Amino acid sequence: MRTTLRMRRAAVVFTAVGALALTGCGGDGDGKDKAGDGSGTKKDSASTVDLPELDGEQISVAAVWTGPEQANFTKVLDEFEKRTGAKVTFVPAQDPIVNFLGTKIAGGQPPDVAMIPQVGAIQQAVAKKWAKPVGQEARAQLGQNYAQVWQDLGAVDGTQYGVYFKAANKSLVWYNAQAFENAGASEPKTWKDFLATADTVSASGITPVSVGGADGWTLTDWFENVYLSQAGPEKYDQLAKHEIKWTDPSVKDALTTLAELFGRPELIAGGADGALQTEFPASVTQTFTGGDQPKAAMVYEGDFVSVNIAQTKAKIGTDAKVFPFPAVGADSPVVTGGDAAVALKDGKGAQALLTWLASTDAAKIWAEAGGFISPNKALDTAAYPDDVQRTMAEALIDAGDDVRFDMSDQAPQSFGGTPGKGEWKILQDFLKNPKDIAGTQQKLESDAAKAYKS
């Protein structure tokens, strides 16, 4: 999730949603180094994690985050520096991150740690023998603080390689409260109601939906939410593993449902052409600027939207409100994504950083800054800055192990995670021509078959 956001990755889907009262507590993160316990570690008096002394050690960490996300992650790294004495350098990465890392490794300059935003990319890093197994201290933090599913997401063939630090609830529709009030619109619970609400808003003179179609991953998220709710978990699992083809009738049904929105350009800000030129951040900000006359009244995406809303004058919970992705079938879907820290070098520093990122103390720092949800179940949800983010975090934790991988993140990266190719490009073409459902299915199946075969 960066400002041009890339929270697509390493995602999972869960169907159990609710609130959970958490009892874990995080450290105060005051950044003061304390005397160690004689074992060569430094631990704050209120800390939940022991870290080794790393005075003068240079550590580099690569991530695709920019803007507020990079700034908030840097706060987490700064505290690690204070506690260990290490010097950490942030390395800006580009998508697809496997290609970026491959270039760095070929040049003999791999980062010590990479924040990898896709399950498939972790598996590729392991297959290429780039990734190093997680050490004992980090595994201990994972065992204390994480549900088994989050540990499994970072494991390959039973060996732990990734530490999931950042997660997201990606099944949310954010809306301009004043635009809704002026239109007399209410929060919809079903897809049918959602389309009716869009018509109500449109009749008031405001375009109802903002779509960041320039970033193809947003369109795969639209599809995945519709497909999970409509086809159900069993079919979802089959399609995710390519055990059924993209020409399956269930895919036709989901695309037909999505076309009920995409096929009505008057409901989308700028129409299809405008949406395809709108990057994710702009799709959010144009929904919450202009007072009660925004370019659009609603935008679909995850909790991380709050970072972009913060760049406008809208206040979350008052000006900017949110409702769950509408149910197409029996249940509303919930999609979540995440970024995992993976060590690419052997050494004390890289492993110490993984241990830190698996701790409650590290999660608390970014949680307090906002625009972040942690899969760390020991983090006290009081750390989140508002009730909206707190509720979304509780829903994520409450899901426990009842999760499913995001299908595009299970797919080979060439199909499910590369700009201008595969699923991203095909769904962009579908947004432009939603009548071509059969053609879209054929293209998806053709590209998927090639990617899975290779």
Side-chain angles (χ1 to χ4, degrees), residues 126-361:
V126 172
K128 293 175 181 292
K129 301 186 184 305
W130 296 347
K132 309 300 180 183
V134 172
Q136 180 178 351
E137 292 80 7
R139 291 200 307 272
Q141 287 291 317
L142 288 173
Q144 293 171 19
N145 302 330
Y146 286 71
Q148 187 62 45
V149 62
W150 288 101
Q151 298 177 58
D152 292 344
L153 279 169
V156 178
D157 296 330
T159 299
Q160 195 73 42
Y161 289 96
V163 171
Y164 273 89
F165 178 63
K166 194 174 192 294
N169 180 332
K170 298 179 63 186
S171 296
L172 304 167
V173 180
W174 299 78
Y175 67 95
N176 184 310
Q178 190 61 56
F180 261 49
E181 183 178 340
N182 292 348
S186 58
E187 296 182 0
K189 296 188 181 301
T190 68
W191 182 257
K192 181 180 179 180
D193 292 342
F194 174 75
L195 295 176
T197 296
D199 284 331
T200 298
V201 172
S202 181
S204 74
I206 302 296
T207 305
V209 183
S210 179
V211 176
D215 292 313
W217 60 264
T218 65
L219 304 181
T220 66
D221 288 350
W222 272 100
F223 173 82
E224 288 159 5
N225 275 276
V226 169
Y227 189 84
L228 177 64
S229 182
Q230 186 170 33
E234 184 176 352
K235 280 281 191 181
Y236 186 95
D237 290 345
Q238 292 172 345
L239 186 60
K241 297 174 184 177
H242 202 220
E243 292 176 350
I244 58 174
K245 295 183 178 182
W246 284 81
T247 49
D248 189 84
S250 63
V251 177
K252 177 182 178 181
D253 291 343
L255 291 174
T256 299
T257 296
L258 204 49
E260 292 175 355
L261 173 64
F262 289 178
R264 296 184 62 189
E266 73 277 9
L267 298 183
I268 298 174
D273 290 339
L276 289 169
Q277 296 177 48
T278 303
E279 294 183 343
F280 167 75
S283 74
V284 178
T285 55
Q286 71 181 12
T287 307
F288 299 103
T289 53
D292 62 353
Q293 295 294 314
K295 290 186 177 179
M298 294 181 280
V299 60
Y300 153 68
E301 258 307 338
D303 62 273
F304 43 78
V305 164
S306 61
V307 173
N308 305 93
I309 294 175
Q311 297 173 345
T312 72
K313 295 181 179 180
K315 182 178 179 181
I316 293 175
T318 303
D319 307 311
K321 295 186 178 181
V322 64
F323 58 84
F325 194 95
V328 182
D331 300 308
S332 290
V334 181
V335 179
T336 183
D339 294 86
V342 176
L344 301 180
K345 288 184 182 179
D346 291 313
K348 195 175 182 180
Q351 290 297 333
L353 185 56
L354 296 190
T355 301
W356 169 241
L357 294 176
S359 74
T360 306
D361 290 8

Side-chain angles (χ1 to χ4, degrees), residues 32 34 70 94-95 99 118 133 151 157-158 191 248 290 310 358 396 416 427 438-439 452:
K32 298 177 183 177
K34 304 292 181 181
Q70 181 181 337
Q94 292 84 42
D95 286 323
N99 294 356
Q118 191 178 38
Q151 298 177 58
D157 296 330
W191 182 257
D248 189 84
L396 176 71
L427 289 180
Y452 278 88

